[in-house]
């Protein structure tokens, strides 16, 4: 690996950690008080801002993963947390809807990163 590539990987990892920490802060601040009384902007951040850390993590995995099955690693924590949530919610339809709303942004982030990386590789070959 070239030193510039390793530097880019470190930058991507730092961006992932920074955006993940920001999302964790939004998550903790939303559920720190009960009953939940959060603004619609806070709700939007809570539901959709984890697109960004998933994007950076998937882009880092695209750059460093030798085996393609490793690109599925960001989905494993979502699957585990979702199954735990759905088993506690007794598999009601509303729980499925909430789980899907919660999973769409990180999956979209992963797909966007894979598309961006494929575009980059095709552009680099020219």
């Amino acid at each position: 690996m070239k030193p510039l590539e390793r530097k880019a990987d470190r930058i991507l990892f730092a961006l992932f950690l920074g955006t993940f920490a920001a999302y964790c802060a939004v998550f903790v601040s939303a559920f720190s008080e009960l009953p939940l009384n959060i603004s619609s902007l806070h709700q939007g951040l809570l539901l959709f801002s984890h697109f960004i850390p998933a994007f950076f993590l998937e882009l880092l995995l695209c750059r460093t993963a030798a085996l393609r099955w490793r690109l599925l690693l960001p989905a494993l924590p979502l699957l585990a947390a979702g199954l735990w949530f759905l088993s506690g919610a007794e598999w009601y339809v509303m729980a499925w809807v909430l789980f899907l709303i919660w999973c769409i942004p990180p999956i979209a982030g992963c797909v966007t990163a894979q598309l961006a990386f494929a575009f980059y590789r095709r552009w680099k070959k020219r």
Side-chain angles (χ1 to χ4, degrees):
M1 231 184 231
K2 298 177 186 175
L4 182 64
E5 288 180 355
R6 288 198 324 229
K7 182 180 178 183
D9 293 343
R10 280 185 259 140
I11 291 171
L12 280 173
F13 187 65
L15 286 170
F16 162 69
L17 287 179
T19 56
F20 184 70
Y23 177 73
C24 287
V26 167
F27 192 84
V28 167
S29 68
F31 293 105
S32 63
E33 297 177 8
L34 290 177
L36 295 178
N37 188 14
I38 57 177
S39 68
S40 58
L41 175 64
H42 201 158
Q43 291 173 12
L45 285 173
L46 184 65
L47 289 175
F48 302 114
S49 66
H50 50 298
F51 169 91
I52 300 167
F55 174 79
F56 288 129
L57 179 62
E58 187 70 22
L59 198 55
L60 180 65
L61 286 174
C62 284
R63 290 177 52 85
T64 59
L67 302 173
R68 286 294 178 208
W69 64 268
R70 291 184 185 170
L71 295 176
L72 300 174
L73 287 177
L76 294 178
L78 287 173
L79 181 64
L83 290 176
W84 175 75
F85 173 72
L86 290 174
S87 66
E90 298 178 6
W91 302 87
Y92 290 120
V93 174
M94 187 63 181
W96 279 100
V97 170
L98 289 173
F99 179 62
L100 287 176
I101 288 172
W102 184 62
C103 286
I104 288 172
I107 291 171
C110 291
V111 169
T112 304
Q114 289 179 3
L115 290 173
F117 187 71
F119 178 75
Y120 168 75
R121 290 182 79 194
R122 182 163 283 179
W123 179 72
K124 189 177 177 182
K125 284 183 181 180
R126 288 186 181 181

